[in-house]
Amino acid sequence: MKIHSNYNLIHANTFGVEAFADTFVHLENEADAIDFVQHHLDKNKPYMLIGEGSNILFTKDYQGTLMQMQNKGFELVDENPNFVWIRAAAGEIWDDFVAWSVQRKYAGAENLSKIPGTIGAAPIQNIGAYGVEFESIFNTVEAIEIASGKKQRFYLKELNFGYRDSIFKTKLKNKFIISSVILKLNKFPLFKTDYGNIQEELNKMNYENLNVALVREAISTIRASKLPDPKEFGNAGSFFKNPIVVQEKYASLKLSYPNLIAYELSNGNYKLAAGWLIDRAGLKGFTKGKVAVHKNQALIIVNLGGAKGSEILAFSEEIQQKVFDLFGVELEREVNLI
Ligand SMILES: Cc1cc2nc3c(=O)[nH]c(=O)nc-3n(C[C@H](O)[C@H](O)[C@H](O)COP(=O)(O)OP(=O)(O)OC[C@H]3O[C@@H](n4cnc5c(N)ncnc54)[C@H](O)[C@@H]3O)c2cc1C
């Protein structure tokens, strides 16, 4: 366990904003985490977990304790003729897990290639990309209750997974340290290549039989061409969620904007492409001081260098207002605000 005081977070968040945490703790394993919450954590002040900080915007200093799990390892815990169950430690990098499983030809995680962040954070917002969400390969969360230091397991039905949502963002927010996740992968791939331009990218490759490594490669290429690298321009991926509207609202928007991009959901509502709304509002590339809407991907707000978290927040609120004024649609933040 390593405990730091007055810790500069500039390299601990992918927006690259400067802010200081009163206390920052590296927890190397479960025993460390249990010991820390039982004997050292000041529970009278704010506290929360942090992974790679790729979904957090710090708008001010954190006057409390940030805890980071740094446990490592992937372990095959069970298998049958069709499936494998892998325990992945919370401190591992998500994409290292995807690479590890693709190398072994296990299927299910390949569409989630190159999503930044840690294993421990993946269940929090039920990460998703290219037609696949984390919940589709999820089996169990192993976590430590912060109040008691007791270990607990959570299974699929308990987690209320939704679009970029889980019980860890609502009822159980900041109540548990996720220490590992068990994922269930398929020995026989069921490819999902009909989303976005995956198939188009695959067509450029000269292959005889499709495999998970090729899908990972195609998705990695697409992501690298579309998304800004946080090392170059600080960002946290999609700043907003895709808004969900009722059928009547969708129909009236579609009448005014025939090119509107939307997906019908099983309950009859529609998920609108937030990037399209921002782009149509003329905001792609919109810049103010050190903050901008990314020039190729309207859903991403970038720090052009040296922006404060509060400037990024004010900028994002301006985008929300402009989109609301034009379409009457509220954009909800995907990024966690501190
Ligand atoms: C360029 C870029 C592209 C992205 N693309 C996608 C994408 O395609 N799809 C997608 O879903 N997301 C995407 N994201 C968002 C981000 O990658 C995910 O939200 C990721 O899961 C965050 O991981 P993290 O370790 O950085 O978590 P952090 O940002 O550090 O934390 C996120 C939340 O998880 C909590 N948390 C972290 N670790 C633990 C733990 N061990 N126990 C309990 N709580 C914990 C934190 O308290 C916080 O509430 C992208 C981000 C970037 C920068």
Side-chain angles (χ1 to χ4, degrees):
M1 177 190 317
K2 284 195 199 90
I3 304 180
H4 306 266
S5 300
N6 200 27
Y7 190 83
N8 191 342
L9 298 168
I10 193 155
H11 299 300
N13 72 96
T14 58
F15 256 122
V17 300
E18 187 165 79
F20 288 82
D22 282 1
T23 308
F24 192 104
V25 192
H26 299 290
L27 302 167
E28 266 140 52
N29 48 47
E30 274 185 1
D32 250 12
I34 293 169
D35 179 28
F36 185 73
V37 298
Q38 285 183 338
H39 303 116
H40 306 283
L41 177 64
D42 180 352
K43 294 182 184 134
N44 296 314
K45 289 194 178 156
Y47 52 83
M48 65 175 269
L49 271 294
I50 183 166
E52 291 231 289
S54 65
N55 201 24
I56 298 180
L57 176 61
F58 288 99
T59 59
K60 52 182 187 280
D61 292 340
Y62 192 74
Q63 290 171 337
T65 303
L66 290 177
M67 297 172 271
Q68 187 181 58
M69 279 306 284
Q70 295 199 327
N71 55 339
K72 299 284 177 209
F74 305 125
E75 177 196 358
L76 181 76
V77 288
D78 202 1
E79 69 179 306
N80 69 18
N82 294 320
F83 297 102
V84 287
W85 284 261
I86 315 289
R87 177 183 284 113
E92 288 282 359
I93 296 301
W94 170 262
D95 191 56
D96 291 347
F97 165 73
V98 182
W100 185 93
S101 53
V102 163
Q103 238 174 35
R104 284 157 183 79
K105 300 189 171 60
Y106 300 147
E110 60 279 3
N111 286 41
L112 305 176
S113 289
K114 302 291 174 182
I115 298 182
T118 54
I119 290 282
I124 306 291
Q125 74 152 0
N126 186 21
I127 56 170
Y130 292 92
V132 173
E133 298 205 314
F134 172 83
E135 63 178 300
S136 67
I137 54 168
F138 171 78
N139 186 261
T140 314
V141 154
E142 297 176 335
I144 293 152
E145 191 186 34
I146 296 176
S148 64
K150 283 198 182 126
K151 210 171 150 180
Q152 208 168 308
R153 285 175 161 228
F154 294 94
Y155 300 94
L156 186 61
K157 281 193 180 143
E158 299 167 273
L159 292 193
N160 297 349
F161 280 128
Y163 166 55
R164 300 297 169 272
D165 203 17
S166 77
I167 197 162
F168 295 114
K169 288 183 88 173
T170 53
K171 210 172 126 194
L172 300 185
K173 192 177 165 76
N174 282 338
K175 297 216 182 316
F176 283 87
I177 298 177
I178 293 176
S179 56
S180 58
V181 175
I182 298 175
L183 298 138
K184 181 185 174 189
L185 297 177
N186 211 317
K187 290 184 179 174
F188 302 98
L190 289 166
F191 297 113
K192 225 177 191 168
T193 58
D194 55 348
Y195 195 94
N197 44 351
I198 306 176
Q199 194 53 57
E200 202 183 309
E201 198 56 46
L202 284 170
N203 291 344
K204 292 184 200 160
M205 298 177 187
N206 217 354
Y207 66 88
E208 275 179 26
N209 296 310
L210 188 57
N211 60 49
V212 285
L214 288 166
V215 175
R216 172 168 166 80
E217 194 183 325
I219 284 172
S220 304
T221 307
I222 299 168
R223 290 184 69 105
S225 72
K226 274 192 178 172
L227 303 177
D229 181 352
K231 288 192 192 105
E232 200 183 342
F233 291 117
N235 75 87
S238 304
F239 198 91
F240 304 106
K241 292 184 184 183
N242 289 318
I244 293 169
V245 297
V246 295
Q247 200 275 336
E248 292 76 20
K249 178 70 186 172
Y250 162 76
S252 83
L253 282 171
K254 188 79 182 163
L255 212 58
S256 313
Y257 304 97
N259 297 332
L260 178 75
I261 298 180
Y263 311 91
E264 188 176 358
L265 303 176
S266 53
N267 62 3
N269 289 339
Y270 282 78
K271 190 193 273 184
L272 309 180
W276 187 90
L277 298 173
I278 297 168
D279 191 3
R280 188 67 180 71
L283 296 167
K284 198 188 250 182
F286 174 56
T287 304
K288 220 172 177 184
K290 297 166 182 161
V291 193
V293 173
H294 190 249
K295 59 181 184 343
N296 300 331
Q297 173 50 269
L299 204 45
I300 298 184
I301 295 181
V302 290
N303 177 357
L304 298 174
K308 288 186 183 143
S310 55
E311 287 172 69
I312 296 171
L313 175 62
F315 183 85
S316 74
E317 286 169 347
E318 197 172 329
I319 305 287
Q320 281 170 313
Q321 191 60 52
K322 287 185 166 154
V323 166
F324 185 77
D325 291 346
L326 190 59
F327 304 105
V329 173
E330 290 201 31
L331 292 181
E332 190 190 329
R333 259 192 311 273
E334 179 178 314
V335 170
N336 296 284
L337 197 69
I338 303 296

